[in-house]
Amino acid sequence: MATLHGTPRDDGFFMPAETAPHAGCWMLWPERPDNWRLSARPAQRAFAAVAAAVARFEPVTVGVSHRQYLNARAMLPPAVRLVELSSDDAWVRDTGPAFVVDGAGGVRGIDWRFNAWGGLAGGLYFPWDHDALVAQKVLEIEGVDRYQADLVLEGGAFHVDGEGTLLTTRPCLLDPNRNPGLDEAEVEAVLRAYLGVDAVLWLPRGLPGDETGGHVDNLCCFVRPGAVVLAWTDDHADPAYDVCREAEELIRAATDARGRQIEVHRLHLPEPQHITVEEAEGVDRAPGTARRDAGQRLAASYVNYYPCNGAAIVPAFGSRHDAPAFAALAALLPGRDIVPVPAREILLGGGGIHCITQQVPPALRCEGSAS
Ligand code: KQY
């Protein structure tokens, strides 16, 4: 497929909201034993459950290594398309492309730079060369032309409402280990040019325990243009309290690209979750990979859900907050089934259901010959 020059905005493309219709969903298969305990078998069961849940609502493609092809095939429902695709880990939200549309059936993809959430100095593993090619390969398989953006950016680090507003967090996009030398205005200029947004809301920090540096996809997302759901805790002793309160104040004081005040709906977090001794002991140690030690806090959040066609696949943690969270999301996402999937094993790898999924918008026109 062609690599395009110019920018999506100049070509009339923008990123649609995740809640817009999808043609399908991409995932990657977990396998590295230095991130996933017990040679990734419990995580594979959790990923398979997510894939099966999404596949009830839209087509799912899973990228898998040659080593794991037969195992994944046996664990995934037949309706899931399995393709051989090398990766260093399984976070397609972050390593996959961001799809943009022109509103007339054209679809293209953005391939951001990826450096494992902070490169050699601040990142989570080395090497990441396979991950850095995931977006290009997904676009090739989808038959979609590609823009190459000179910005280190992960898909979990921003949310758009599809009407010109973007939510993000300062510590990720302005991380000197990701985009050294770029200031807020320079990063915003890239976001505007590539995602077609006009208003950028910079949240000061992410949730405690978030090893990405504080991805917004754990903290806050749009339930529709003009309304967000925000992770919340009533526990003033929890360091998450100040993070959520600051974010709420900032969003309530802001207006979006259409001049609206943004509605904020609080969604209580599960109780703080930590890695147990048994869980930590199941993870291999490897030089160059961030350690998983007993007692480390995990960034568990119901905001890290995946909205698919007609449903939302929502993380379940076995917490007393699960049922109220599912009820709250049902009210905020009318017309969607709320499908809880146990997410502890995904959380142990450092993320949630949103982090392991990437939506593809429907194409009505073949864009594959734009060169
Ligand atoms: O927040 C996300 N989008 C991904 C989390 C990545 C964790 C890497 N171990």
Side-chain angles (χ1 to χ4, degrees), residues 130-328:
H130 295 301
D131 278 349
L133 290 175
V134 165
Q136 183 169 3
K137 292 176 181 175
V138 167
L139 294 172
E140 190 84 54
I141 293 168
E142 290 293 331
V144 166
D145 285 338
R146 156 180 178 260
Y147 294 99
Q148 205 173 6
D150 191 17
L151 183 75
V152 172
L153 182 63
E154 305 97 31
F158 66 92
H159 270 300
V160 296
D161 70 350
E163 294 191 358
T165 305
L166 180 142
L167 275 169
T168 190
T169 57
R170 282 210 167 76
C172 290
L173 275 68
L174 303 180
D175 178 1
N177 293 318
R178 285 169 162 118
N179 293 303
L182 288 191
D183 64 19
E184 198 173 295
E186 290 164 326
V187 171
E188 265 196 36
V190 179
L191 299 172
R192 287 167 190 265
Y194 281 81
L195 297 168
V197 296
D198 297 306
V200 177
L201 271 56
W202 292 93
L203 304 181
R205 339 181 229 169
L207 287 180
D210 186 333
E211 63 189 29
T212 66
H215 271 182
V216 77
D217 70 347
N218 264 331
L219 181 62
C220 188
C221 70
F222 291 102
V223 287
R224 61 177 181 280
V228 298
V229 62
L230 173 69
W232 189 257
T233 177
D234 292 325
D235 179 1
H236 293 221
D238 184 339
Y241 178 80
D242 283 337
V243 172
C244 301
R245 195 182 40 77
E246 280 171 14
E248 185 180 61
E249 280 170 12
L250 192 137
I251 298 167
R252 285 196 195 281
T255 47
D256 70 10
R258 300 267 174 114
R260 289 175 289 228
Q261 283 201 305
I262 301 170
E263 280 172 36
V264 180
H265 300 273
R266 297 173 176 177
L267 187 61
H268 207 287
L269 292 162
E271 308 76 11
Q273 315 264 311
H274 300 90
I275 304 180
T276 66
V277 172
E278 187 193 348
E279 288 166 343
E281 281 175 356
V283 182
D284 289 5
R285 293 267 169 89
T289 302
R291 290 168 58 121
R292 304 252 170 243
D293 291 326
Q296 278 174 8
R297 184 162 180 179
L298 299 160
S301 167
Y302 302 105
V303 169
N304 205 305
Y305 65 85
Y306 177 66
C308 52
N309 294 338
I313 314 303
V314 182
F317 300 108
S319 157
R320 69 187 169 86
H321 295 288
D322 281 10
F326 306 152

Side-chain angles (χ1 to χ4, degrees), residues 35 91 93-94 117 124 156 211-212 215 217 292 349-351 355:
N35 192 53
W91 308 100
R93 174 64 54 190
D94 293 347
W117 306 275
L124 298 174
E211 63 189 29
T212 66
H215 271 182
D217 70 347
R292 304 252 170 243
C355 309

